[in-house]
Amino acid sequence: AYALAHMLMSRDGAALQPGTRAYARSWIRDGAMMVEGLLRLGQNRVASDFVEWFARFQFDNGKVPCCVDKRGADPVPENDSHGELIFAVAGLYRYTHDRAQLERLWPHAERAGNYMETLRQSERTAQNREGDRAAFWGLMPASISHEGYSAKPMHSYWDDFWALRGFKDAAFVATVLGHTEAAQRIGKQRDEFQREL
């Protein structure tokens, strides 16, 4: 009950926020996990409002911003964000079974998945076949997903495991909606990424 009260009190309209003072912005990372908690606690409308609101800030190329505040979407590279939005979209359907909403949100999930695939392919280079760099083959590229990385972007398993979750959930959503070609394409990307990870 206390955790639910904290999530609800910290909201700013549809925006879920991790706190009320120094955190006057909304992160998809925190939001995706709060959405899961809210859905488990029967707060479907609150969870739905957040996902629908945050999805509007997705960039045209499919990139999902790490956070949004009164200035708009933050464009810094945090490569966990894309998988987190897809996870939240899939989570809504798992709890609500609202197919119409899933159809509306599918373009956001698909574009986020396509962007993750672009990032994944950017690390499948000849340079990453040799020496110490071979460990980066096929993973998400360096980002600043951890505050300690902002001075120097680094590779992060945090990004990779959220990306894997995103690929899995994008394939799930495509299957539910009967988008067979997309489900097969994303399924192949998921399997290849999981092997390389």
Side-chain angles (χ1 to χ4, degrees), residues 120 124 135-140 156-165 167-168 189-197:
R120 183 178 82 83
R124 300 177 91 238
F136 302 137
W137 172 266
L139 302 183
M140 290 292 109
S156 170
Y157 281 121
W158 179 271
D159 292 346
D160 296 316
F161 285 109
W162 272 113
L164 181 58
R165 179 77 258 164
F167 281 122
K168 288 178 177 180
Q189 294 166 356
R190 172 203 62 213
D191 294 346
E192 185 173 71
F193 182 68
Q194 184 164 337
R195 282 194 306 273
E196 294 177 352
L197 175 58

Side-chain angles (χ1 to χ4, degrees), residues 9 18 28-29 40 45 57 60 75 85 96 101 103-104 119 130 134 136 143 147 149 158 162 176 178 181 186 190:
M9 288 188 313
I28 186 61
R29 176 184 308 140
R40 289 182 184 200
R45 181 80 269 149
F57 293 95
D60 290 341
L85 179 65
T96 69
Q101 180 182 53
E103 285 278 11
R104 281 195 316 275
L119 293 175
E130 300 174 3
F136 302 137
S143 80
E147 289 83 353
Y149 300 168
W158 179 271
W162 272 113
V176 167
E181 183 278 327
I186 297 165
R190 172 203 62 213

